[in-house]
């Protein structure tokens, strides 16, 4: 009978450890939990990090699971309840809006795109599942930052980074945007992340009324906006989609 490869067994055990414990673990904690020497644990972590399966926080040096795990295929995402519940509603939103639809969740210091519906035309498009977007400038990120305290903290730490001339880079201005987002229930990004691109997003809640993600529409400014503002019909459609997914997750009416 063939023997299992010890290094692979240890790597798999390390991924399970990071998936089931604290949000982030230090090298000593990982080594101690697995009964390994620090050098051995560090070698495995470094290899997993190089492959994108593990990420290291630059400030604390602690480790957590990496976004590359979501890139392994839709077989994993298909069993993810949020994506499963969003499938029909996001398809409907893409058809009704004529634009690309994204579902994003908080991951480390950004928004992880875990579902993407193409714009329903014949243009060439690239699937962005697994891509990361910034928290402080995108509509998805602003929604998460407005409703999720952890996302808020991560966003404030990076709010100074400007992607375009319209990116909000002052903490007090960013807080005003979050207040506005909470007041009206949606957020927009009009050329704050990419020139010529605008988006609108709304929060998705679970049965505990906790924010678990955001859904949004993204497209060219001239299609998404009118007179410098996001088109009212797109805002309504995105909010309806977010409410529908939330209801399917057990959140009830919002």
């Amino acid at each position: 009978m063939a023997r299992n490869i010890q290094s692979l067994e240890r790597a798999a055990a390390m991924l399970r450890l990071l998936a089931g414990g604290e949000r982030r673990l230090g090298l000593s904690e990982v080594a101690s939990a697995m009964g390994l020497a620090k050098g051995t644990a560090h070698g495995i972590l470094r290899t997993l990090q190089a492959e994108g399966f593990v990420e290291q926080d630059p400030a604390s040096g602690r480790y957590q699971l990496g976004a590359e795990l979501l890139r392994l295929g839709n077989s994993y995402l298909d069993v993810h309840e949020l994506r499963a519940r969003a499938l029909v509603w996001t398809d409907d939103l893409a058809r009704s809006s004529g634009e690309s639809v994204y579902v994003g969740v908080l991951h480390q210091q950004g928004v992880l795109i875990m579902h993407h519906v193409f714009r329903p035309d014949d243009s060439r498009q690239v699937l962005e599942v697994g891509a990361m977007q910034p928290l402080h400038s995108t509509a998805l990120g602003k929604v998460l930052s407005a409703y999720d305290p952890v996302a808020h903290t991560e966003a404030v730490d990076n709010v100074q980074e400007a992607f375009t001339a319209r990116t909000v880079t002052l903490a007090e201005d960013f807080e005003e945007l979050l207040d506005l987002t909470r007041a009206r229930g949606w957020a927009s990004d009009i050329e704050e992340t990419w020139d010529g691109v605008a988006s609108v997003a709304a929060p998705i809640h679970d049965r505990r009324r906790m924010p678990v993600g955001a859904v949004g529409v993204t497209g060219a400014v001239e299609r998404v906006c009118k007179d410098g503002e996001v088109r009212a019909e797109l805002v309504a459609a995105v909010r309806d989609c977010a409410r529908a997914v939330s209801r399917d997750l057990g959140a009830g009416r919002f």
Side-chain angles (χ1 to χ4, degrees), residues 49-215:
Q49 184 180 2
E51 296 299 325
F53 298 128
V54 165
E55 295 172 354
Q56 185 179 32
D57 179 64
S60 66
R62 297 168 76 83
Y63 295 88
Q64 66 181 36
L65 294 181
E68 188 63 24
L69 290 171
L70 286 182
R71 298 177 189 266
L72 291 178
N74 287 335
S75 58
Y76 168 79
L77 293 176
D78 284 338
V79 302
H80 193 293
E81 186 177 13
L82 174 56
R83 181 178 184 272
R85 299 293 185 181
L87 285 175
V88 173
W89 301 112
T90 50
D91 282 349
D92 288 346
L93 179 58
R95 282 193 295 269
S96 65
S97 67
E99 302 294 347
S100 301
V101 176
Y102 298 88
V103 177
V105 296
L106 174 66
H107 180 75
Q108 200 169 5
Q109 296 176 325
V111 182
L112 175 66
I113 302 302
M114 48 87 69
H115 184 50
H116 174 200
V117 183
F118 283 162
R119 184 172 63 255
D121 59 22
D122 295 328
S123 63
R124 184 177 181 181
Q125 300 173 64
V126 177
L127 186 66
E128 296 187 45
V129 171
M132 295 291 292
Q133 294 186 1
L135 280 167
H136 70 283
S137 64
T138 61
L140 292 171
K142 292 176 193 175
V143 165
L144 293 173
S145 300
Y147 290 92
D148 185 333
V150 176
H152 176 267
T153 299
E154 299 285 8
V156 169
D157 288 343
N158 294 280
V159 75
Q160 296 86 3
E161 185 175 2
F163 300 106
T164 73
R166 298 182 59 128
T167 306
V168 172
T169 57
L170 296 178
E172 54 267 34
D173 294 338
F174 182 65
E175 294 293 353
E176 289 182 7
L177 284 177
L178 298 189
D179 288 340
L180 179 61
T181 298
R182 287 185 285 265
R184 64 188 184 181
W186 56 276
S188 64
D189 163 14
I190 303 176
E191 296 189 281
E192 294 176 52
T193 310
W194 302 281
D195 289 324
V197 177
S199 60
V200 57
I204 298 171
H205 296 82
D206 65 10
R207 60 184 60 86
R208 299 167 298 165
R209 299 283 180 111
M210 297 295 291
V212 293
V215 59

Side-chain angles (χ1 to χ4, degrees), residues 38-57:
K38 283 187 179 180
T40 301
H42 184 251
I44 297 172
L45 284 168
R46 189 173 62 246
T47 302
L48 291 172
Q49 184 180 2
E51 296 299 325
F53 298 128
V54 165
E55 295 172 354
Q56 185 179 32
D57 179 64

